[in-house]
Amino acid sequence: MKAFIACLGTETNTFSPIPTGLRNFQDTMLYHGDATRAPADLHTAPLIVWRELAAADGDEVVESLATFAQPAGITVRKVYEALRDEILTDLKAALPVDLVLLNMHGAMVADGYDDCEGDLLARCREVAGTDAVIGGELDLHCSITPEMRAAADALVSYKEYPHIDTKERAAELYAICRDAKLGKTTPVMAVHDCRMVSTWRTPVEPMKTFVARMHALEGRDGILSISFGHGFPWGDVPCVTARMLVIADGDKKKAEDLARQLGQEVWAMRQETAPVTMPYKEALSRAAAAAAGPVVVADIADNAGGGAPSDSTFLLQEILDTGLSDNISGLYWDPLAIRLCKEAGVGARLNLRIGGKCCRESGIPVDLDVTVKGIIENATQPFGSVTQQMGDAVWLQAAGNVNLVLNFIRGQTFHPDAFSQFGIDLASLKIIIPKSSQHFYAGFAPIAAEVIYATSPGTLNMDFANLPFTKLATPFWPNVEDPFKS
Ligand SMILES: [Zn+2]
């Protein structure tokens, strides 16, 4: 058997003004056929799993492009088309292939393409033919479209947010596709549109039990796989709402019934699962007054992982305005400030203009007297079992033990190591502010006296009911109370 593997993706926040161009793909992750020879990161890990499984089965692997851009605004059209066409050219050269396995995001939008994954899958089908089995792995923040479903034999999304199960889902997709090619199974997919726009945190109840329930239903009674596509709220696309996807073995009705049933269960939990957030000024004041620390105040509106600039200054300005001490915030994406700090060196005292540079949602820059306490070139941070690049990183300290970490490659704060690798004792601080919506949770929760999700002006507006969608044709909750009532 011959498997063709590739990765192309980003999560597009159509409300973000930052364009996604080739430089973003280059900075984040770009391999031309050799990604599996490098250490795994979040998006190459599935390809590495597929190569290992194929090798164990004695199968041949043809590896194509593997690239991913840090989430931002709409992808530049010619950039998307060039990356897509590289995969298609490689696929054509590899023919005939038995399996096409693509690692994608599921919420990628390019200029002229609301559904990049649907486009990529359809074109792969055209090239590979109907005999090939085509499978796609998706982030759970995906918009599952009819085009994706029509072109693929199997789609499997992560179940966990934070996304700690990318490798397991890759192995699951591989097994489903290989069994299908061998004629052992006939995967059929059904999708139920929950008509909901929200976010769901899977480490906490009731989602924790729901995820366990999805696992328990798989692998028996003809159910091959269950995915809950949460949707990505900040994509103005026709299929933005959450969708339940079930793959059954040959029985379409069984897949449809279970997708609808599980979708209704998610609907029934909507009040319990709705994200609990707090305005940032209130969050910081509560954290400062806490009897025990550190309190983790997540700056969720400036999460680069959702397309935000990661240089907003709203929380920093509030810290300075109210004189809060013993805190750390980051990661601020500020290449210019990093350049100045590197030029000055460790120990230098500077009046530095920090953040607030990318766009209106960044707020205004903050001018601060700081000491350069540390510089780490090509820093990394762990995320689950993989390593994420931070680029050059700088630790700054201002009066009142106000600490900041700036980094060169725009990205969210996944793990306490993003800060503590400088030798900073996080346990001694009162407030820790990672710029992240949820991925911070796995690493930071164990060291936190409390975790608060703080809202602020920014690109990731949590007021789901009033997001300015223009392409969604159906009503959705929480914009209306019951989107199924006509
Ligand atoms: Zn995601």
Side-chain angles (χ1 to χ4, degrees):
M1 200 174 285
K2 190 199 278 183
F4 178 88
I5 61 174
C7 168
L8 170 55
T10 185
E11 180 181 67
T12 303
N13 181 329
T14 62
F15 304 117
S16 169
I18 305 170
T20 301
L22 185 59
R23 179 67 193 263
N24 186 339
F25 286 94
Q26 288 168 335
D27 281 353
T28 311
M29 192 263 274
L30 178 60
Y31 297 97
H32 299 280
D34 56 356
T36 57
R37 278 186 238 149
D41 74 12
L42 189 58
H43 303 290
T44 60
L47 275 68
I48 292 171
V49 168
W50 293 334
R51 183 176 277 287
E52 284 170 359
L53 290 171
D57 286 329
D59 293 342
E60 185 188 343
V61 172
V62 177
E63 182 175 339
S64 179
L65 178 80
T67 191
F68 203 91
Q70 185 64 242
I74 290 172
T75 303
V76 175
R77 182 179 188 127
K78 64 179 186 208
V79 171
Y80 165 65
E81 289 175 342
L83 296 171
R84 175 198 68 192
D85 291 350
E86 183 175 332
I87 292 176
L88 296 173
T89 302
D90 287 351
L91 179 57
K92 214 171 274 176
L95 292 177
V97 300
D98 301 291
L99 304 179
V100 177
L101 300 172
L102 301 175
N103 183 30
M104 304 174 291
H105 183 283
M108 179 177 183
V109 179
D111 184 18
Y113 298 89
D114 274 346
D115 174 17
C116 291
E117 290 82 359
D119 176 62
L120 175 62
L121 285 164
R123 287 170 193 266
C124 283
R125 173 63 72 198
E126 231 173 83
V127 173
T130 49
D131 283 349
V133 173
I134 299 183
E137 179 168 354
L138 304 169
D139 188 291
L140 58 70
H141 295 112
C142 54
S143 308
I144 301 170
T145 67
E147 289 74 18
M148 289 160 66
R149 196 178 30 154
D153 294 282
L155 298 167
V156 170
S157 83
Y158 314 153
K159 286 189 174 64
E160 298 285 357
Y161 181 40
H163 306 326
I164 51 172
D165 61 335
T166 60
K167 291 181 182 172
E168 289 83 352
R169 299 290 78 77
E172 179 184 332
L173 181 71
Y174 175 85
I176 291 170
C177 291
R178 195 167 193 276
D179 283 354
K181 184 62 197 175
L182 292 172
K184 292 184 187 170
T185 55
T186 309
V188 289
M189 290 192 281
V191 175
H192 172 77
D193 181 359
C194 301
R195 297 192 177 181
M196 303 171 76
V197 172
S198 189
T199 57
W200 286 265
R201 294 168 184 152
T202 60
V204 292
E205 296 296 359
M207 284 309 290
K208 195 175 173 182
T209 296
F210 185 77
V211 169
R213 176 159 155 69
M214 287 198 288
H215 280 297
L217 289 166
E218 290 173 330
R220 62 188 185 86
D221 197 26
I223 299 300
L224 301 176
S225 172
I226 301 168
S227 294
F228 175 40
H230 297 195
F232 180 62
W234 300 279
D236 185 15
V237 292
C239 295
V240 65
T241 46
R243 277 146 214 251
M244 192 65 66
L245 184 155
V246 173
I247 308 178
D249 183 8
D251 189 338
K252 185 82 188 261
K253 174 140 189 343
K254 185 178 276 187
E256 285 169 350
D257 288 348
L258 186 57
R260 188 172 53 251
Q261 183 195 327
L262 292 172
Q264 285 167 352
E265 289 178 22
V266 170
W267 169 253
M269 296 187 293
R270 67 194 176 283
Q271 303 299 352
E272 280 172 277
T273 55
V276 178
T277 59
M278 192 183 288
Y280 71 104
K281 292 186 180 181
E282 191 185 332
L284 288 172
S285 128
R286 179 187 166 110
V295 175
V296 169
V297 177
D299 185 0
I300 57 178
D302 197 29
N303 170 24
S310 202
D311 75 338
S312 90
T313 54
F314 299 102
L315 277 74
L316 175 60
Q317 192 61 59
E318 178 69 7
I319 285 170
L320 300 173
D321 289 349
T322 54
L324 299 184
S325 64
D326 303 299
N327 50 64
I328 187 163
S329 56
L331 301 165
Y332 294 87
W333 184 48
D334 197 334
L336 179 58
I338 288 170
R339 183 188 158 133
L340 300 181
C341 293
K342 286 183 72 179
E343 201 121 359
V346 174
R349 291 187 55 82
L350 300 168
N351 180 269
L352 195 64
R353 178 159 284 196
I354 299 162
K357 297 185 177 74
C358 269
C359 56
R360 187 177 49 203
E361 290 78 3
S362 302
I364 55 171
V366 170
D367 294 312
L368 196 60
D369 289 316
V370 294
T371 303
V372 180
K373 297 283 287 182
I375 297 172
I376 298 176
E377 296 201 343
N378 299 314
T380 61
Q381 57 177 330
F383 177 53
S385 60
V386 299
T387 299
Q388 294 298 112
Q389 301 296 323
M390 291 168 54
D392 293 349
V394 173
W395 168 26
L396 303 175
Q397 195 173 67
N401 198 20
V402 172
N403 298 277
L404 294 83
V405 174
L406 281 46
N407 76 317
F408 194 83
I409 297 177
R410 192 173 61 88
Q412 69 183 294
T413 317
F414 284 109
H415 193 274
D417 272 11
F419 301 145
S420 58
Q421 63 185 291
F422 287 97
I424 304 168
D425 177 17
L426 296 179
S428 69
L429 298 174
K430 284 187 192 161
I431 310 173
I432 302 174
I433 304 172
K435 287 179 178 289
S436 171
S437 298
Q438 177 64 3
H439 287 319
F440 72 94
Y441 190 87
F444 281 90
I447 63 163
E450 184 184 358
V451 174
I452 304 175
Y453 295 82
T455 53
S456 65
T459 324
L460 274 71
N461 178 357
M462 296 292 284
D463 181 11
F464 299 132
N466 295 301
L467 286 171
F469 296 123
T470 62
K471 295 180 176 173
L472 181 57
T474 56
F476 70 98
W477 178 87
N479 181 261
V480 297
E481 221 165 276
D482 184 354
F484 291 96
K485 212 153 89 184
S486 55

